[in-house]
Amino acid sequence: MIKFILNNQSVETALPKGTTVLDFVRYHKNLKGTKIGCREGDCGACTILVGELAGEKLKYRTMTSCLMPISNADGKHIVTVEGINRDDGGLTPVQSAMVETSGTQCGFCTVGFVMSLTNFCIDDTPKTNEAAISAIDGNICRCTGYKSIERAALSLCGTAARRNGDAEIHSAIGNEIVPEYFANIKERLSEILNSRFQIANSSNRNPEPGIQNPKFLSGGTDLYVQRPEEMVYADTENLFDSAALRFINETDEFIELGASVVVTDLLESDVFNRLFPNLYKHLKLVSSTPIRNMATLAGNFVNASPIGDMTAWFLALDAEIELSDARSSTRTLPLKDFYLGYKQLAKREDEFISKIRFRKDFTHFNFEKVCKRTYLDIASVNTAISLKMSGDVIEHAHVSAGGVFATPLYLRKTSEFLKGKEISAETIAQANEIIQTEISPIPDVRGSAEYKRLLLRQLFTAHFVELFKANIQ
Amino acid sequence: MKNVDSKSHVRGESVYLDDVPLLQGTLFACVYDSPIAHGKLKNVDISEAEKADGVVRVITAKDLIGENQIGGILPDEPLLADEEVHFCGMPVALVLAETEEQAHAAAKLIKAEIDPLEIVTDEREAQAKNELIAPPKHFRLGDAEKAFATCEHVFEGRADVNGQEHLYIETQGAYTIPTEQGGLKIYSSTQGPTAVQRAVSRVTAIPMHQIEVDVTRLGGGFGGKEDQANAWSALCAVATQLTKKPVKYALHRMEDMRMTGKRHPYSADYRIGLDKDLKIVAYQAKFYQNAGAACDLSLPVLERTLFHCTNSYFIPNVSATAYSCKTNLPPNTAFRGFGGPQGMFVIESAIAHAAEKLGVSKNEIQRKNLIRSGDEFPYGQIAESEAEASWTQADQQYDFAKLQAEADEFNTQNKFVKKGIALMPICFGISFTKTPMNQARSLVHVYTDGSVAVSTGAVEMGQGVNTKIAQVAAKIFSQPIERIKVHTTNTLRIANTSPTAASAAADLNGRATQMACETILERLKAVAQEMLKDGAYRVESSNGNAAGKPSEGGTQSGVSFENGFVFYNGEPTSLDWLLVVNEAYNSRVNLSEHAHYATQGINFDWSIAKGHPFAYHVYGTAIVGVTVDCLRGIYEVDYVKCCHDFGTSMNTSVDFGQIEGGIVQGLGWMTMEEVFYDSDGRLRSNALSTYKIPDVYSVPKEIAILPLETSRENLAVFNSKAVGEPPLMYGIGAYFAIREAVKAFNKQNFVKFDAPFTPEKVLMNLYSEISG
């Protein structure tokens, strides 16, 4: 039985656990404020807030309910617009701002924006103009041209920053961003989780050794796009909420990550911000806020899309992955050896990625991505590079590229070539020649083969312009 | 004055099609559509689908009781494929099941046996094969052939411009309910309730008076739900007719994208001739419109391309020909601008071509040829022009020369980042070019509590038409806006409506509402006059002296309503709105009115392609600045600054919203939005993951809007000119601004006129020596 809090109501449901939260709230709970725009996480009309206990802290993030199975809502607080509406028919400051700036025209996308901006007002990020706009980076509007919505978002920075010394949620209640009932959610979620813990212990449940070919599900951001109908009834083992898979550790040599770490976890990680000075700028290029809140690293790896952004990223770190199965036997292999062919993985069906690790001995890292739309789009070509420099000499290099081969591509020859070289226009040009021999792009909706070849040449060059202000005249 | 729907929008309480509460027993529909773009339909095997869980019935063409035809202009569009399929996505069968999920699952079990025929997706290829929707159309002014001979400079070339997916965030849909004695009630997400009513009547053979179509609002339309909403209502109606059950179909996004038509792609050949002073003397254009597999609205779209083929320029010798080419793509349709933007793109390309070859700036040619009052458009209408005024006022406000100098300076300082600037004047005619459509009706009821209900033929889709109509009633009755409710658009209350299109809904329906309200007001004034006569409501003058009472037999001209109170000869009385309304009721005076408005003075004669088709034109001038990252081939729009002709805006928050939204939609069309069909006619840009519209980061950093100062009268409601479509065309400037930036980096290359200017085209043009 899946149990969670929907707005101010505790709900239990025996519906198929793959049912999307979107269908659940609209068609089973008749909460029609959450709209269906695309069912693939690309429009944000169905954006909801998801509150989750992380230790002592209740943390809210936005998610697109169209890609979220109710099983991933288990033990959480799911908030739709009905859950933030004032009972007296009045407007919250977020709603008022949208009205005052004429940020709503046809209204169909509006609730998604309201939810995203509400989250902006209750989360613990600094209330900068940049963060306000960033909060709505997953919401598409076809009517307004966004300028009015921008004005609404910017006008909220002041309100959102008012803290009165309280914890976020109490400040938000004080500011009338959310209703009073939010004050008790933390306790109510604890109760659900505690009862869950007792059941789990009393039933003496062990992993069934006989299970063959279990299907694993984490954030759902690829599976629910690719096969939404099948996923409703799929018998999946959900990895998304497994605490054992949600960690970022630093050792002397390595960074180790649980496989269900989501992209936002990286953004919020001190370690990552230290190791990757342009982390925000680069991860902003990866999908949108709600998707980054759901999309796990392992999910990106096993999806094996030739243009997976995080795959390109970790290939350039020469990361290793640990694969586990139900018997908890594990093995480790380099990510670059994980890809055998188009959507073919060096993985048994009963194995799942449990851990990711990479050496932190690189001195330089860069990520480049170009698509039709700079943000919230899939790359035409992406590429990442990590370098360990010793003075002017490249001690080692790892270069990856996406969108130019049947799999995410680690550029072996190019990486090898760069070893021991000094950075110069000539080195870059020679490396670019090698790259062209390592790739075989195919034409598709994201560009012709010639374009992808040219684009990778440019983006590889861009790495050096970004990292070394290389003169490429 | 904010949009009257704002509060329910932000609370998520506004009702759209998919939010309508369902009746028990409602069935869910799903279309099986052709996987092949062209072929003979030999057989449709529905046997497996019929046996599937929850399936109640599967409908094919042979089940239709009425005519299998929904073509509004030409009868060339079967509702369900019968003998042939003409495009990928053409509906072949309709599954009805107890749940939406079951309907979708069963539709996958249908198999069609199709003998493939040749697939044509390219408009020029279709024209070469004489596959035309109708004979070509021509516009002529002067004698272009002769004039070219006198020109100092003549240039010719080709311009291509792709289509555009509407991407209303609410997909198409319909919900049909059987009513007693064989009637139907239809909820539809449509811009044209009457078009739906007609289409449903045709396919069911149920007369129109038995069919009620009701529209609360749309989650965006942009032209995409003008005629293309008909099919979904017609399918559901057929299903309801056959099963006697309510039937609902709200399309999934990918169904919507692959089954519905879009803005028309065009290819064009142009020839432009200038004299030594850069005056355009002659212009010739051939337009090849990609109509898709059926007419839909392609012909009027084609006509508007001709109407706007010279944009806001006066050219004394024009010869323009337009072909509507039949291809195996979904029938393309109305989209904000309705063919006008494509016509403008081609003349702007021709001017850019001339400027580049002559080594002058494009805006010098633009400026010299702006149409002036008294000049003749190629279709015979005489201009009352604001072209010069909008250009001059924009220049004064924004200083074109300074912006250009800043960009030039930036470009000399930066090798791998370049700025480009382009000016984009616009001139857009307001009225349906099919003159009979320029009519509207409004039904106004004043209730005995003083509240007012208004119904018109206008459909609210975010453009704020209901807000403007409410303002009209509020202003005339001098009542607060809260007292006015603009109700759903319903074919029983308002019959024979024109679609909400052509930017004209507020004009037509607003004027009809104005007339209805004024008629009721006159009656109320007469009642007030009577009430004042007996002295019961003492008339007090502001100086404390009694102002007397109306004389016997006097007219009511002295009576007025202000802020809800009756004034007599400008002096307040104690008589208020509510008292007068109630006295009117008690005196058996009619508190309702159904008014009819038809635009005066417009006409067009297609036999000579001349006339006065537009009530007025909307003018404006925008300057667009972009920055191109020449390393990566990506770009940002720095600003769009315009001087726009609102006439006198009756609602600046609504109208400015239309400008901002229109500009961004136009930018999207010119930059990242790429409709992509493969050679088999399959849509590859078939989802939001592959078809990109602007997000919050891709909009201009600055949009500045300067209302044109003008005192010219016009035929718009309260002088507030139509605003829906014109601003989209400012976006065309972005194409030419990017082109300027690309040229600043790669001076050798002549950039082909081929919109949209995707990052791919930018990079390939920046490095043309490598990319070939």
Side-chain angles (χ1 to χ4, degrees), chain B residues 645-679:
Chain B
D645 169 22
F646 294 96
T648 310
S649 174
M650 69 184 286
N651 188 323
T652 50
S653 65
V654 165
D655 286 352
F656 277 47
Q658 287 296 296
I659 302 272
E660 290 176 342
I663 285 172
V664 169
Q665 213 167 54
L667 290 175
W669 176 50
M670 284 288 116
T671 58
M672 68 186 70
E673 296 187 33
E674 189 172 34
V675 177
F676 187 91
Y677 288 98
D678 64 21
S679 55

Side-chain angles (χ1 to χ4, degrees), chain A residues 5-47:
Chain A
I5 303 172
L6 173 59
N7 298 329
N8 194 14
Q9 183 196 8
S10 296
V11 293
E12 284 185 50
T13 174
L15 282 167
K17 65 182 186 176
T19 306
T20 64
V21 172
L22 174 60
D23 287 329
F24 181 76
V25 300
R26 275 188 69 80
Y27 301 124
H28 296 276
K29 291 295 169 185
N30 202 35
L31 299 171
K32 297 291 181 71
T34 307
K35 301 299 180 196
I36 303 173
C38 70
R39 286 191 182 270
E40 57 170 343
D42 256 319
C43 79
C46 69
T47 303

Side-chain angles (χ1 to χ4, degrees), chain B residues 137 139 263 266 287 289 297-311 322 335-344 379 427-434 438 501-504 604 606 613-618 725-726 729:
Chain B
K137 307 235 173 200
F139 270 18
R263 186 191 293 285
Y266 274 67
F287 297 99
Q289 177 201 55
L297 291 162
S298 293
L299 294 176
V301 168
L302 188 81
E303 289 160 14
R304 204 175 258 276
T305 301
L306 291 174
F307 281 112
H308 295 96
C309 70
T310 55
N311 191 13
F335 194 142
R336 201 175 196 171
F338 205 74
Q342 293 95 323
M344 292 186 194
Y379 45 90
C427 167
F428 196 78
I430 301 301
S431 287
F432 289 99
T433 54
K434 186 178 175 188
N438 295 288
S503 306
F604 199 73
W606 269 107
F614 298 118
Y616 56 87
H617 289 82
V618 171
E725 290 165 288
M729 284 151 267

Side-chain angles (χ1 to χ4, degrees), chain B residues 593-609:
Chain B
E593 186 64 19
H594 179 265
H596 169 84
Y597 173 75
T599 314
Q600 297 303 300
I602 54 172
N603 60 75
F604 199 73
D605 181 352
W606 269 107
S607 68
I608 51 170

